[in-house]
Amino acid sequence: ILILRLISNSKNQLSPSEQAISLLSQTCKGFCKPIITYIPNSNYWSPNKGSQIYKNKLKKFAIEYKVKFLDGEEVIDKDNIYDYAPIGSHLSIDGYKKIADLIEKNL
């Protein structure tokens, strides 16, 4: 799992997220079918008002670099504490299963 943060030091530099998606796209040409999956943050453990902006940028980068984008909000409820681990902001076993099923369904 690659966790990306949207950070850029200047307007001329690619953010680390865009760099990673670009590299993934280049690496997989003809060899694999890359997929990136957005995993939403928990509104209980780590509320983040900028998460929708970040998700939209990831989706934009995925389209630009022709990488399939899956939105984990289709299966993970940011308000459901049971989709997340009991402590911290990681997914629970059930949450990871939901993401894995989403990925498998889109292979």
Side-chain angles (χ1 to χ4, degrees):
I1 295 175
L2 177 61
I3 299 174
L4 307 171
R5 291 192 171 214
L6 194 61
I7 302 168
S8 181
N9 295 330
S10 88
K11 291 181 181 178
N12 295 329
Q13 288 184 322
L14 299 179
S15 71
S17 298
E18 187 174 3
Q19 288 176 347
I21 294 169
S22 172
L23 181 60
L24 177 65
S25 174
Q26 292 171 25
T27 302
C28 284
K29 283 195 174 163
F31 297 106
C32 55
K33 295 179 182 177
I35 297 173
I36 57 172
T37 304
Y38 172 74
I39 299 175
N41 59 293
S42 164
N43 281 336
Y44 178 80
W45 291 112
S46 57
N48 182 341
K49 293 181 182 182
S51 63
Q52 285 300 95
I53 294 168
Y54 179 63
K55 178 178 93 168
N56 291 337
K57 291 210 180 209
L58 285 179
K59 189 173 184 177
K60 176 184 161 268
F61 296 150
I63 291 167
E64 184 177 333
Y65 293 101
K66 297 176 178 66
V67 173
K68 188 168 190 161
F69 175 84
L70 301 179
D71 186 351
E73 286 185 313
E74 292 179 16
V75 295
I76 300 295
D77 179 354
K78 297 186 327 182
D79 295 315
N80 181 352
I81 196 166
Y82 297 107
D83 279 346
Y84 296 90
I87 298 175
S89 59
H90 298 283
L91 293 176
S92 65
I93 292 171
D94 289 339
Y96 279 119
K97 171 110 174 62
K98 289 177 181 182
I99 291 291
D101 289 345
L102 175 68
I103 294 169
E104 182 182 36
K105 182 175 106 180
N106 284 276
L107 292 178

